[in-house]
Amino acid sequence: MIVVEHLSGGYEDVPLVKDISFTVEKGKILGILGPNGSGKSTLLKVLSGILPTTTGMVMIDGKAIHSYNARALAKKMAVLPQLHANAFSNSVREVVSLGRYPHQTGFFASWSARDEQAVQHAMLQTGVKRYEQTPMEFLSGGEQQRVFVAQALAQTAEILLLDEPTNHLDIAHQRQILDMVRKEAMECGLTVVMVLHDMNLASLYCDELLLMEGGQMRAIGAPHEVIIASQIEDVYQARVATYAHPEMPKPQITMMPTAGDRQQRAMIKKEHFTITEHYIQLQTEIPLKIVSSAVHNPGIGWFSCLLNRSVPGDYVISDVKREVNEFLQRENFAPTSTVVMLTAVPTSLVAIQEFSASFGNMIVAVTAGVGNAVDVSRVHERQDEPYIGTINTWVIINGCLSEEAFLQATMTATEAKTKALQSENIRDARSGTIATGTATDSLLIAATQKGEEMLYAGPITEVGKTIAKGVFETTVQAIKNYKNQF
Amino acid sequence: MKKITVAYVLTCTLLMISIWCGAAIGSVHIPFEVLWNQTVDETAANIFWKIRLPRVLLAGLVGASLAIAGAAFQGLLKNPLADPYTLGVSSGASVGAVMTIFFSISIPMAGLYALPIFSMLGAILTMIIVMTFARAVDRSLKMETLILTGVIFSSFLGSLISLMIALSGEELRQVVSWLLGSVSMRGWPYVQMIIPFVLIGSLMLWTQRRELNVLLYGEERAKHLGVNVKRSKYLILAGGSMLTGAAVAVSGTIGFVGLVVPHMTRMIWGADHRHVLPLSFLNGATLLIICDLVARTIILPRELPIGVITAFIGAPVFSYIFYKQRKSKGVRA
């Protein structure tokens, strides 16, 4: 456990870090963030006693660090500074072994079994064991960095200070080093303070974050309390946005390049649709931001090719992912930029309509097979096999939607679809009640994200009204097409 | 057998052979029996025990001192070009010696030993001045400061020596031959004089063998790893200077040994100071004994200054090892 109280210090008489206070409990990881020159490394140097303290104190196990002598402090606290060059060549093993220096006391101190064990453990943990006998100068920067991490680990101290441990490392080795630090913290109670440049890594691996600005503390707390877009923008003077990590409840951050082509209009028109016997395709020049429940590339993403593929009624749905991939390969579509929906309805029955609005035009495309329509309030009574989605709705908006707007658009579109079914008197064959959809309908909302951002897309807004009207009218048209055919 | 055991066995064997060769080879042949029976050949025994053996031992001690001091300085200063003379101690010793010759200074009772005594004083004085000055410039006694201070003082003292040489008349030959370095005609008293310095100095360095390994990664890293950097630095500087001063005082400025022996040792046996220090010590002794042997036998009956031979033999040997080493490692550069 390390306690820092009102610490100021740095080079000469000018304190570069001012009034820093924090506590890191045993087994916890504190990440220090901040722009270049904000005093991160200086803080680490003051903490480790390399640079003088002007006021305040650093306490380890309740004792000020000044009361420890160099060797005793090295047994308590290991430090990994940024990469260092070396004039002579040592083997990896020799370098890691130096970590045992504080433990070797006495004139004839010999290499004990504990020393050997610590060195072996450190080499295995960092994955440098296989270079054991290699001279340092033959290793890459990243490998050398890992050797120094191993050296610090071999010190078997309770506290570990790391200055950018992931410098020079590729993503696999970043993960390896940080996973290892995390594991040592959780399993062996190692207390870690590390300076990191990468806010996303810091968010993923640290229990607490300290954000520095101009040598002072700007914020401290759990990652979600520190990585706040407005705060980061203020400290770093850069446009950023936060988003959720796919697996962990930790905020992630991404840079937003300076806005340039936001105002440039690229209109999607009805003429951009191609209809063949096998699919309805919309190919766009710019990628669209899409939220969909498609078979291929569902969820949120940016795509420039939309397919509504017509498959025969006896299509085997069990291995649909692989089959769709094969189809894309066969037809020369790029799997990463294409969204695919499936329908049992012939492509000729599609209804595509264009609606104009003040923000830009909107196109709605619907294929509706209502043979298997159900009343959603009564489906719990049924237990049939799933069908291929029979009402596929695409809403393509020439405009810019916020995330809320995307979700509201899906609601609005769904409500409009249901209303269309009611208006066409489509009934659940089993219960005889008005159907609300089919069992496997799919919806896609796409936007060009050009122009003024529209925050909401509920039926009260212009875009919501257009979606409601568009989806309703187009779905009615599609149902009529279907009825005429069958 | 472990590599390091091989290293010590080989190095010691080489030293033993060189000692025997150094003592036995020459205009008078020395039979093996003199080692235990002086009566076999009285003249040979006298030459062996009174003239050749002290000379060989002196050469060995001087070589050992310079080599171990060089190894320690190279490690401490993290500079492969550092040698025992980098810090100016040798220049101080030289000024003391040359002054003794130039002004024909003599100390009552000390007789011939006035020169080594003054030389030693010169070395100690220089060491104190260099360290004090470096400390005044930069309290933390950074390596760069030390090297620069050493270079400045070396050149200043060098100019003093040049001045004395320029002004000297009949002492010129004596001054120059002292500066080129020699271990001839010194006898046991010189050996006795240097031994305590060699022992204490080497011991001081040896206690810092592990610290030297850590210091290679910089003072900051060394501090992190728990080294009392200041104490280590003073011990190494004082020990190394003591060895250098003593060596120069008894034999003059013999170059090359302190620079090259530690490098050869590192290249062959690795850079771990726990072994580099003792192995450099032994190898330095061997090299200087062989050089002295060559110096006194190569153009009989004249003797060459030993400093000429050290570089003459050392440089090609060093080049060969350097070349071999780089080739076998398949170096990128």
Side-chain angles (χ1 to χ4, degrees):
Chain A
M1 173 169 162
I2 178 166
V3 179
V4 176
E5 281 172 3
H6 302 293
L7 183 73
S8 299
Y11 298 92
E12 304 295 318
D13 305 322
V14 197
L16 286 182
V17 293
K18 286 159 250 159
D19 197 23
I20 307 284
S21 301
F22 60 80
T23 300
V24 191
E25 301 286 344
K26 185 174 161 65
K28 295 289 178 193
I29 302 177
L30 173 78
I32 301 176
L33 294 174
N36 291 335
S38 60
K40 305 183 297 277
S41 296
T42 312
L43 173 59
L44 217 60
K45 284 185 179 173
V46 177
L47 283 181
S48 61
I50 293 290
L51 290 176
T53 305
T54 45
T55 56
M57 56 169 25
V58 181
M59 311 237 284
I60 293 173
D61 287 353
K63 273 170 70 187
I65 59 163
H66 307 289
S67 61
Y68 290 95
N69 69 31
R71 202 183 277 264
L73 186 61
K75 282 189 199 174
K76 283 276 175 202
M77 182 166 79
V79 185
L80 178 76
Q82 285 181 34
L83 201 70
H84 7 246
N86 174 9
F88 301 104
S89 102
N90 283 112
S91 73
V92 167
R93 199 200 140 81
E94 283 170 334
V95 175
V96 178
S97 303
L98 290 181
R100 297 306 294 169
Y101 172 83
H103 298 272
Q104 297 193 290
T105 40
F107 198 67
F108 290 101
S110 62
W111 192 249
S112 72
R114 276 194 62 202
D115 292 327
E116 183 61 31
Q117 198 196 336
V119 167
Q120 291 295 336
H121 176 76
M123 287 197 296
L124 284 173
Q125 286 290 307
T126 48
V128 298
K129 174 95 171 103
R130 62 203 166 96
Y131 316 122
E132 200 174 345
Q133 302 301 340
T134 313
M136 283 297 274
E137 72 234 46
F138 295 147
L139 300 184
S140 70
E143 288 161 343
Q144 292 187 4
Q145 178 75 351
R146 282 190 285 146
V147 174
F148 287 110
V149 174
Q151 188 187 56
L153 269 191
Q155 234 171 302
T156 56
E158 297 151 28
I159 295 166
L160 183 59
L161 306 186
L162 301 161
D163 195 351
E164 300 202 25
T166 53
N167 244 357
H168 308 282
L169 298 185
D170 62 39
I171 192 163
H173 289 122
Q174 287 183 354
R175 195 192 62 97
Q176 186 192 9
I177 291 289
L178 292 173
D179 273 356
M180 180 209 74
V181 168
R182 172 113 224 139
K183 186 164 161 246
E184 292 282 315
M186 291 204 301
E187 291 175 7
C188 314
L190 186 70
T191 306
V192 182
V193 177
M194 59 181 167
V195 169
L196 284 171
H197 245 314
D198 189 322
M199 280 179 270
N200 290 332
L201 287 180
S203 168
L204 288 177
Y205 284 97
C206 300
D207 299 298
E208 284 217 319
L209 296 177
L210 165 62
L211 178 63
M212 303 269 299
E213 186 184 23
Q216 285 169 310
M217 290 169 54
R218 168 66 189 246
I220 186 163
H224 68 89
E225 294 169 316
V226 174
I227 304 208
I228 301 167
S230 58
Q231 183 160 273
I232 299 295
E233 282 185 355
D234 191 32
V235 172
Y236 284 84
Q237 297 294 310
R239 241 160 55 81
V240 297
T242 52
Y243 59 97
H245 188 271
E247 277 186 3
M248 300 196 24
K250 304 271 194 165
Q252 294 287 284
I253 198 156
T254 187
M255 198 170 59
M256 312 282 268
T258 313
D261 55 355
R262 256 179 103 70
Q263 298 309 317
Q264 169 198 325
R265 296 271 170 138
M267 290 287 278
I268 311 292
K269 296 200 181 81
K270 198 175 161 182
E271 295 81 65
H272 293 144
F273 281 76
T274 7
I275 302 170
T276 74
E277 191 191 336
H278 299 291
Y279 50 79
I280 301 145
Q281 181 193 6
L282 173 62
Q283 179 75 48
T284 59
E285 281 173 25
I286 53 157
L288 304 178
K289 188 172 183 185
I290 291 175
V291 176
S292 82
S293 59
V295 171
H296 183 77
N297 279 330
I300 303 175
W302 291 81
F303 306 99
S304 57
C305 179
L306 281 60
L307 287 183
N308 188 358
R309 183 179 161 213
S310 175
V311 294
D314 58 356
Y315 181 80
V316 184
I317 203 166
S318 60
D319 201 10
V320 65
K321 295 266 179 208
R322 197 179 54 81
E323 197 281 333
V324 167
N325 256 316
E326 281 170 8
F327 163 78
L328 291 173
Q329 299 272 329
R330 199 165 59 234
E331 302 279 324
N332 286 322
F333 288 110
T336 49
S337 61
T338 307
V339 176
V340 183
M341 284 186 184
L342 298 182
T343 178
V345 177
T347 55
S348 57
L349 300 185
V350 69
I352 304 175
Q353 296 186 4
E354 197 164 332
F355 301 88
S356 59
S358 68
F359 52 84
N361 284 7
M362 180 187 297
I363 300 152
V364 182
V366 179
T367 52
V370 289
N372 293 309
V374 293
D375 175 354
V376 75
S377 61
R378 306 291 290 270
V379 281
H380 58 276
E381 299 163 8
R382 311 170 56 126
Q383 268 168 355
D384 356 14
E385 290 293 301
Y387 303 93
I388 305 294
T390 37
I391 302 180
N392 285 347
T393 310
W394 292 0
V395 178
I396 292 103
I397 300 162
N398 283 301
C400 180
L401 297 190
S402 70
E403 301 219 325
E404 301 95 301
F406 265 104
L407 278 180
Q408 286 168 340
T410 62
M411 285 161 58
T412 309
T414 308
E415 288 160 9
K417 173 198 76 178
T418 305
K419 196 68 189 171
L421 262 67
Q422 185 191 9
S423 139
E424 285 301 304
N425 197 26
I426 306 296
R427 286 180 182 272
D428 185 326
R430 208 164 164 280
S431 62
T433 49
I434 292 281
T436 53
T438 75
T440 47
D441 287 355
S442 236
L443 176 62
L444 176 150
I445 310 287
T448 52
Q449 299 300 88
K450 304 286 179 198
E452 201 71 25
E453 186 180 53
M454 292 179 280
L455 286 176
Y456 310 104
I460 194 173
T461 62
E462 194 199 351
V463 63
K465 287 172 185 164
T466 318
I467 291 170
K469 175 174 184 278
V471 172
F472 176 78
E473 289 178 7
T474 316
T475 309
V476 166
Q477 180 62 48
I479 293 170
K480 287 197 165 118
N481 292 351
Y482 179 83
K483 280 179 175 167
N484 288 340
Q485 180 82 15
F486 298 99
Chain B
M1 213 172 357
K2 269 177 78 176
K3 186 183 168 190
I4 208 65
T5 324
V6 178
Y8 281 104
V9 169
L10 220 73
T11 309
C12 288
T13 315
L14 232 93
L15 179 58
M16 289 304 154
I17 294 172
S18 70
I19 290 177
W20 175 253
C21 290
I25 297 172
S27 49
V28 177
H29 176 72
I30 312 287
F32 245 121
E33 291 80 39
V34 296
L35 282 178
W36 55 87
N37 186 356
Q38 301 225 12
T39 54
V40 178
D41 181 342
E42 202 101 2
T43 339
N46 264 333
I47 290 175
F48 179 80
W49 288 106
K50 299 223 169 96
I51 298 170
R52 293 219 191 132
L53 192 60
R55 177 176 182 152
V56 164
L57 289 184
L58 190 66
L61 288 169
V62 168
S65 308
L66 292 175
I68 194 174
F73 280 175
Q74 282 168 9
L76 178 69
L77 301 174
K78 284 191 292 173
N79 188 336
L81 289 178
D83 73 359
Y85 303 152
T86 307
L87 292 183
V89 179
S90 57
S91 305
S94 300
V95 169
V98 174
M99 259 167 68
T100 320
I101 302 169
F102 187 71
F103 294 112
S104 308
I105 300 171
S106 63
I107 311 171
M109 311 289 293
L112 273 175
Y113 306 121
L115 189 139
I117 289 171
F118 267 100
S119 180
M120 199 65 213
L121 282 176
I124 292 170
L125 216 67
T126 313
M127 184 183 96
I128 293 171
I129 295 172
V130 167
M131 290 230 220
T132 318
F133 182 78
R135 236 185 92 82
V137 171
D138 164 16
R139 278 187 60 87
S140 64
L141 212 64
K142 285 213 182 63
M143 304 304 177
E144 305 86 70
T145 319
L146 270 175
I147 294 180
L148 267 179
T149 314
V151 169
I152 294 166
F153 275 82
S154 287
S155 27
F156 177 73
L157 295 171
S159 74
L160 283 187
I161 296 170
S162 305
L163 178 71
M164 284 188 274
I165 291 174
L167 295 179
S168 65
E170 57 203 68
E171 312 92 356
L172 179 67
R173 206 186 154 73
Q174 212 188 335
V175 169
V176 171
S177 82
W178 188 87
L179 283 175
L180 284 171
S182 166
V183 286
S184 73
M185 307 307 287
R186 303 298 210 255
W188 286 108
Y190 272 74
V191 175
Q192 288 159 4
M193 192 156 52
I194 190 178
I195 275 182
F197 293 105
V198 175
L199 283 183
I200 296 171
S202 303
L203 212 64
M204 280 163 82
L205 296 185
W206 195 67
T207 59
Q208 299 304 305
R209 62 204 183 281
R210 274 183 271 129
E211 284 74 4
L212 272 168
N213 277 343
V214 180
L215 277 166
L216 268 189
Y217 293 90
E219 290 175 44
E220 199 178 308
R221 189 82 199 107
K223 243 183 217 174
H224 288 150
L225 285 167
V227 174
N228 187 335
V229 174
K230 213 167 236 176
R231 193 185 64 187
S232 280
K233 245 194 274 189
Y234 280 122
L235 270 170
I236 294 164
L237 289 175
S241 300
M242 189 186 284
L243 288 163
T244 312
V248 174
V250 297
S251 64
T253 45
I254 298 171
F256 213 70
V257 183
L259 173 67
V260 160
V261 171
H263 278 300
M264 295 208 290
T265 309
R266 270 195 204 96
M267 280 180 206
I268 302 174
W269 305 115
D272 186 342
H273 281 93
R274 285 176 300 175
H275 305 301
V276 168
L277 292 183
L279 287 173
S280 293
F281 185 90
L282 297 170
N283 285 329
T286 310
L287 182 69
L288 211 60
I289 290 169
I290 294 171
C291 287
D292 182 47
L293 174 63
V294 174
R296 74 182 169 81
T297 52
I298 194 160
I299 47 164
L300 279 171
R302 280 198 60 181
E303 240 182 60
L304 288 177
I306 191 170
V308 175
I309 305 296
T310 50
F312 199 78
I313 295 183
V317 171
F318 180 68
S319 311
Y320 175 75
I321 295 174
F322 190 48
Y323 179 78
K324 274 296 235 197
Q325 194 72 17
R326 291 278 144 165
K327 276 274 160 175
S328 70
K329 272 188 182 171
V331 169
R332 321 138 288 181

